[in-house]
Amino acid sequence: MDFTFSEEQQAAAEAARGVFAGVAPDAVPSPALTTGAVADEFDRALWARLADADLLSLLSDQEYGGAGLDAVALCLVLRESAKVLARVPLLENSAAMAAVQAYGGPELRGALLERAGRGEIVLTVASSGRTGHDPAELAVTARREEGEEAGWILDGVQTAVPWAYDADFVVVPAHTAGGRTVLALVPRVHEGVALGEQFSTSGERLGELRLESVGIAARDVIDVEGAWEWLRDLLTTGTCALALGLSERVLRMTSEYTGQRVQFGFPVATFQAVAVQAADRYIDLRAMEVTLWQAAWRLASGARGALPVAGDVAVAKIWASEGVRRVVQTAQHLHGGFGADVDYPLHRYHAWAKHLELSLGPAAAHEEALGELLAAHPLG
């Protein structure tokens, strides 16, 4: 097997490193010192640079102005973004565009993909459900209107929608009376749509999306079996890439600090207890990395495996959730009191890590899902 990245994937990662090189993780007020949101909107200047570098259209086909790359390339870019805590909806926008391209009709693809790839409009996804614990597709109902050109009517509530106040459209999974799941592209400003302000541990503004008899045209609703499951797996895998990039940066910060911090005449990095803890976290990183690329490769290639792709995604999310938590906790411990200093960025990484750990389900939820898959698909 050849586990190396393609030239195109490596070029995407290199372009991302160039764009994110000048991004400061402490460019906004600390969430520890802010009662509300750390900023009114995401980093629009960075968003424009990502558009100029063609990184917003990474997954789009060439006919829509994109590079036609895959989930592996997206995860490489997301990994770089997390190292600097980039405040942009890159994951949600890219995943929504990919779902529209894969499952949407020609009219919908033509209306959205090129504009989103140029950064002119922003897409996000409501993926947390009503409470953050129940399946997202059960939080909203969708019923078809009568008539030849009938649209859809949506009712329900989705909580903790990322970048909801900045997005032009929110992709909302909803269930029908027949038990199907559809994806509706809901305009943020629309009759019957309301937003309630919420905040993540990282200090970013989330939105509680309330839908009351919201009418959506038929062309803006994706009614294709498997579309939501595919989008959810891509979002989860992208979240794992963010967790990996954040963890790599935190472990590097810890290495640099313990290598310079002198105690009893020696750098603390030379102490056995410190070295063992750092080595354990390095093992976490390698496990997070290999499970991430396995999941991203399955999504990108469609290759068959002993379990459905959801099994590989669940394994990646289990390692990402547990790993990112252990990495930031060890970093705080090895930094001592300095790690809690609000003038030092480590506490920001800790806040983002907690948000990523719980996003789209904590490790326990994915362990349960993996158990159900193993029961349904016995190995051997």
Side-chain angles (χ1 to χ4, degrees):
M1 292 185 179
D2 184 4
F3 291 102
T4 58
F5 300 115
S6 69
E7 290 184 8
E8 293 80 5
Q9 291 165 347
Q10 294 181 60
E14 184 63 32
R17 282 191 286 271
V19 172
F20 294 123
V23 177
D26 53 359
V28 294
S30 166
L33 303 176
T34 309
T35 55
V38 295
D40 293 333
E41 60 179 0
F42 66 79
D43 191 339
R44 292 281 181 177
L46 176 58
W47 194 247
R49 295 200 297 274
L50 288 168
D52 291 341
D54 295 326
L55 292 175
L56 300 185
S57 57
L58 204 62
L59 304 187
S60 298
D61 290 338
Q62 292 183 359
E63 64 179 297
Y64 301 112
L69 296 182
D70 57 17
V72 174
L74 175 62
C75 288
L76 284 166
V77 173
L78 291 170
R79 180 189 193 179
E80 297 302 322
S81 75
K83 293 177 182 179
V84 295
L85 305 182
R87 301 181 51 260
V88 287
L90 182 58
L91 168 59
E92 296 79 10
N93 189 74
S94 299
M97 289 174 62
V100 169
Q101 178 171 270
Y103 297 99
E107 190 177 359
L108 181 59
R109 295 198 301 268
L112 290 181
L113 292 182
E114 288 192 58
R115 296 176 63 203
R118 293 192 298 264
E120 296 172 2
I121 59 174
V122 177
L123 310 178
T124 190
V125 185
S127 54
S128 295
R130 184 181 180 88
T131 66
H133 300 284
D134 53 329
E137 65 272 20
L138 301 182
V140 174
T141 61
R143 56 184 173 86
R144 193 73 183 263
E145 294 180 297
E146 297 182 0
E148 195 170 309
E149 298 295 327
W152 294 76
I153 302 297
L154 304 181
D155 287 281
V157 176
Q158 289 274 2
T159 193
V161 180
W163 316 107
Y165 282 88
D166 304 302
D168 298 283
F169 294 92
V170 182
V171 178
V172 179
H175 69 281
T176 69
R180 302 193 321 278
T181 298
V182 300
L183 295 175
L185 277 89
V186 178
R188 177 174 54 86
V189 180
H190 193 69
E191 184 177 357
V193 176
L195 284 175
E197 201 170 44
Q198 298 175 315
F199 305 101
S200 73
T201 58
S202 61
E204 299 298 337
R205 186 161 64 158
L206 309 174
E208 181 184 71
L209 181 69
R210 305 167 190 149
L211 307 174
E212 184 174 353
S213 299
V214 175
I216 302 296
R219 75 154 200 178
D220 294 332
V221 177
I222 299 173
D223 186 8
V224 179
E225 184 177 357
W228 164 238
E229 290 76 12
W230 184 86
L231 174 57
R232 182 180 58 202
D233 285 343
L234 180 57
L235 286 167
T236 306
T237 305
T239 302
C240 296
L242 293 171
L244 175 62
L246 184 150
S247 298
E248 288 176 326
R249 179 62 185 131
V250 166
L251 191 60
R252 178 172 290 277
M253 291 169 63
T254 305
S255 174
E256 292 171 351
Y257 176 77
T258 56
Q260 297 171 1
R261 176 76 166 88
V262 175
Q263 188 71 27
F264 307 116
F266 297 93
V268 297
T270 62
F271 297 172
Q272 186 177 35
V274 172
V276 167
Q277 292 182 70
D280 286 342
R281 300 296 76 83
Y282 178 80
I283 293 172
D284 279 333
L285 283 187
R286 298 288 69 82
M288 292 167 68
E289 186 173 18
V290 70
T291 55
L292 164 65
W293 299 130
Q294 171 71 9
W297 173 75
R298 287 286 306 276
L299 275 174
S301 66
R304 298 177 61 85
L307 292 177
V309 65
D312 290 292
V313 172
V315 171
K317 187 57 165 69
I318 292 166
W319 274 104
S321 294
E322 297 285 358
V324 74
R325 175 176 51 80
R326 287 194 290 256
V327 168
V328 295
Q329 286 180 346
T330 297
Q332 291 280 13
H333 175 65
L334 296 183
H335 275 81
F338 192 54
D341 189 338
V342 294
D343 292 325
Y344 184 68
L346 181 61
H347 74 288
R348 297 174 183 269
Y349 285 88
H350 202 155
W352 277 70
K354 179 55 67 175
H355 178 69
L356 292 174
E357 177 191 351
L358 301 178
S359 292
L360 298 168
H366 289 274
E367 288 168 353
E368 182 177 350
L370 181 60
E372 293 173 353
L373 285 170
L374 288 169
H377 302 82
L379 301 180

